[in-house]
Amino acid sequence: MADLRTNLAGIASPNPFWLASAPPTNSGYQIMRAFEAGWGGAVWKTLGDPIVNVTSRFAGLNAAGYRMFGMNNIELITDRSLEDNCREIVEVKKRFPDRAIVVSLMMECKRERWRDLVARVEQTGCDGLELNFGCPHGMSERGMGSAVGQDPELIEEVTSWVVEATRIPVLVKLTPNVTSIKHMGRAARRGKAAGISLINTVNSLMGVDLETWNPIPHVDGKSSHGGFCGPAVKPIALNMVGECARDSEIGIPLSGIGGIATWSDAVEFMLMGATSVQVCTAVMHHGFRIVGDMIEGLNNYLDGRGIARAQDIIGKTVPKFVDWNDLNLDYKIVARIDQSLCIHCNKCYIACEDAAHQCIDRIPRNGTTDCVVDESHCVGCNLCQMVCPVDDCITMVRVDDGRSTRTWHDVEATQV
Ligand SMILES: Cc1cc2nc3c(=O)[nH]c(=O)nc-3n(C[C@H](O)[C@H](O)[C@H](O)COP(=O)(O)O)c2cc1C
Ligand code: SF4
Ligand code: SF4
């Protein structure tokens, strides 16, 4: 049994699985039940000035039989009082001293107001603070959330106010709705954040009702842009975690968030540099119990590879995540079709003919038509393999000799 203990910037937890700040962390009752189920930590639903929520606030994107493949929300921060939340944080910490309790905070950009909030929350005995610079809707229109996370100067300034006002670790939660995540991560570092959590939700509008012409979800016939999350955002989140992990000017621990639903998603984020992972949509979909499978899966993965500690895999993929100009132009793969598995659906042929490089031929044989790749023209784009409905029917095979390496940098050097 591997050692799953995690320590992110001094915030310790028995495993890397934390609940993200969201509806599942809205109350002490929920977080205690989550901890009973095995979650290693929780980021409390964002505390700040009292807000009023609209009633219709979520919408789901179903894809190919998968419900809630994506989720859109226009919910704001907690609508419960600071007093109630702080009292419950004390209770949860007392009952579960070994779990990480991080409290998410949001406040208008006034130093004294941040200081007051931090002082009040720190008294609860929580293990860390997470500054919500990510919420892209509602609060951002009031100058908070992603309005801060989209401005590096504000990120640095507000972070430094909080860091000065507290002794516990301060994490900065970033919005993905920016042109360059690493510049935002660097600003958090300059503000002396202990770590970065990413990502919050992606700006989105879930849809339009074709009968009523209402945007979805609508509030009395109208809607506003919301935040998109769930499995559909995982590639966006993974890229942003990797971008921050490989940036030498950031260099602080990361908590990965975005579309994580299984142990293998979590492993991918850890390999890409996340010390802990946070989960929201998958818990909203399936409940707290999913953490049991996540713990077991991570354990089995590590044991199967003889890796003693979960922390030993953190960042192992980061050196392989490079700029395009550092890729090997001499690496060559081609598609190969296993005719014994082919069901002659022609999907690969159509894809290659209409959208790739016209290098799959249809050759009549034994009363049917075989799809055969012209390897000399195949550019190894993978499209035919992606569209093929039969597992392992198309494989991508390496055909270069594996000895030569030539990057775009090398090409440029020879041009000078
Ligand atoms: C309904 C809802 C409410 C959320 N509220 C908050 C919040 O109060 N504070 C915060 O930092 N993030 C909030 N989030 C964002 C999540 O913490 C998380 O960053 C995002 O959902 C991506 O993770 P996921 O793909 O696992 O859902 C909320 C997300 C949802 C779906
Ligand atoms: S890998 Fe791309 S180019 Fe090669 S056969 Fe498949 S679709 Fe065509
Ligand atoms: S997509 Fe796959 S199954 Fe269909 S014809 Fe091509 S190789 Fe055969």
Side-chain angles (χ1 to χ4, degrees):
M1 171 116 173
D3 178 357
L4 302 190
R5 280 177 302 171
T6 299
N7 191 313
L8 189 149
I11 304 171
S13 58
N15 62 55
F17 302 114
W18 297 1
L19 292 171
S21 174
T25 61
N26 199 36
S27 66
Y29 164 75
Q30 290 167 284
I31 294 179
M32 287 201 253
R33 286 190 46 240
F35 285 169
E36 278 162 10
W39 289 88
V43 184
W44 209 276
K45 173 79 181 168
T46 306
L47 310 184
D49 277 335
I51 57 92
V52 179
N53 263 310
V54 290
T55 58
S56 176
R57 43 182 117 150
F58 305 156
L61 175 74
N62 302 335
Y66 191 112
R67 295 189 73 78
M68 281 173 69
F69 187 65
M71 172 175 176
N72 183 57
N73 88 89
I74 52 172
E75 177 176 286
L76 303 186
I77 62 174
T78 185
D79 50 15
R80 304 175 66 237
S81 76
L82 185 60
E83 289 64 38
D84 285 350
N85 278 299
C86 286
R87 195 187 61 253
E88 291 172 19
I89 295 167
V90 174
E91 286 166 14
V92 180
K93 191 66 210 170
K94 209 163 165 186
R95 223 180 117 196
F96 293 90
D98 67 326
R99 309 304 166 93
I101 300 184
V102 177
V103 181
S104 172
L105 303 178
M106 186 189 285
M107 183 46 72
E108 59 180 324
C109 290
K110 292 195 175 141
R111 189 179 198 147
E112 288 314 310
R113 298 226 54 209
W114 270 102
R115 276 180 172 266
D116 293 347
L117 180 62
V118 168
R120 175 70 191 91
V121 171
E122 194 178 359
Q123 285 169 11
T124 61
C126 63
D127 302 291
L129 304 174
E130 185 181 86
L131 312 186
N132 180 346
F133 296 161
C135 183
H137 45 81
M139 306 309 289
S140 55
E141 291 158 37
R142 302 175 199 176
M144 293 175 257
S146 66
V148 180
Q150 290 169 334
D151 181 337
E153 284 176 19
L154 273 181
I155 293 175
E156 180 179 346
E157 187 173 23
V158 178
T159 305
S160 67
W161 295 343
V162 176
V163 170
E164 278 166 30
T166 185
R167 289 182 312 273
I168 57 178
V170 176
L171 311 181
V172 165
K173 183 167 178 181
L174 292 177
T175 172
N177 304 307
V178 293
T179 44
S180 166
I181 197 72
K182 70 182 179 195
H183 286 100
M184 306 306 163
R186 289 175 186 174
R189 167 76 196 249
R190 287 196 300 275
K192 299 205 166 38
I196 295 171
S197 307
L198 72 168
I199 59 173
N200 207 305
T201 51
V202 182
N203 273 336
S204 60
L205 174 63
M206 187 52 82
V208 176
D209 186 313
L210 297 186
E211 295 300 321
T212 61
W213 300 358
N214 286 337
I216 300 170
H218 77 91
V219 179
D220 200 11
K222 294 180 182 165
S223 196
S224 63
H225 80 273
F228 192 56
C229 53
V233 308
K234 187 186 131 194
I236 298 170
L238 200 56
N239 171 54
M240 290 192 164
V241 167
E243 283 293 328
C244 287
R246 76 190 182 103
D247 190 281
S248 58
E249 290 181 45
I250 296 180
I252 49 178
L254 307 174
S255 186
I257 319 168
I260 297 167
T262 63
W263 67 267
S264 56
D265 295 333
V267 168
E268 288 180 68
F269 275 79
M270 292 173 77
L271 290 169
M272 203 44 107
T275 299
S276 73
V277 293
Q278 300 184 28
V279 181
C280 164
T281 304
V283 168
M284 294 183 75
H285 194 171
H286 304 293
F288 295 132
R289 66 189 173 85
I290 61 169
V291 76
D293 288 344
M294 292 173 122
I295 291 171
E296 191 185 336
L298 177 59
N299 241 320
N300 291 342
Y301 177 81
L302 296 171
D303 286 352
R305 278 158 188 76
I307 300 169
R309 302 177 311 168
Q311 67 182 51
D312 291 342
I313 65 170
I314 296 168
K316 291 296 185 212
T317 302
V318 176
K320 300 179 179 216
F321 189 47
V322 297
D323 287 345
W324 193 96
N325 288 348
D326 293 317
L327 300 178
N328 182 6
L329 298 171
D330 286 343
Y331 175 76
K332 174 132 176 83
I333 56 171
V334 296
R336 240 170 236 170
I337 296 173
D338 182 341
Q339 301 297 343
S340 69
L341 295 175
C342 178
I343 58 170
H344 307 282
C345 68
N346 283 332
K347 287 193 93 58
C348 59
Y349 170 78
I350 294 165
C352 190
E353 198 67 11
D354 292 2
H357 287 262
Q358 301 81 48
C359 53
I360 294 183
D361 301 319
R362 281 192 298 185
I363 300 175
R365 209 181 54 163
N366 298 338
T368 182
T369 312
D370 284 349
C371 289
V372 177
V373 178
D374 170 1
E375 293 188 4
S376 63
H377 288 103
C378 172
V379 301
C381 70
N382 301 335
L383 182 63
C384 54
Q385 188 193 42
M386 289 156 61
V387 302
C388 178
V390 182
D391 286 345
D392 301 326
C393 182
I394 301 184
T395 43
M396 304 305 299
V397 184
R398 185 168 188 174
V399 291
D400 68 291
D401 62 11
R403 286 200 291 271
S404 142
T405 302
R406 185 178 49 112
T407 68
W408 181 248
H409 291 304
D410 300 328
V411 173
E412 278 183 320
T414 59
Q415 284 170 349
V416 177

